[in-house]
Amino acid sequence: MFKKLIVALAAFIAATAFAAVDANRATQAELESVKGIGPAISGAIISERKKGEFKDWNDLVVRVK
């Protein structure tokens, strides 16, 4: 149950990130300006996008744990 809650929260955060900034092009500071995204998540987003752009928010949720 706890894992499902975390996944749902991550999905919400990812959806918010795509709505506010382009996760494929935003700087770390721009990502962190989105409520709920701090240094750890923004760093993970930047690391993952070096492997290739995110196709959609679901792709971001799957790749950024």
Side-chain angles (χ1 to χ4, degrees), residues 1-2 5 7-8 10 14-15 18-19 23 25-26 28 35 37 40 45 49-50 52 54 58 60-61 63-64:
M1 179 70 173
F2 182 70
L5 179 63
V7 169
F18 270 106
R25 291 173 179 58
Q28 187 162 3
K35 185 177 181 178
I37 296 182
I45 291 171
R49 76 178 183 201
K50 288 178 183 176
F54 299 107
N58 191 46
L60 185 142
V61 171
R63 291 171 48 192
V64 177

Side-chain angles (χ1 to χ4, degrees), residues 28-45:
Q28 187 162 3
E30 290 170 334
L31 290 169
E32 290 176 19
S33 72
V34 176
K35 185 177 181 178
I37 296 182
I41 294 175
S42 64
I45 291 171

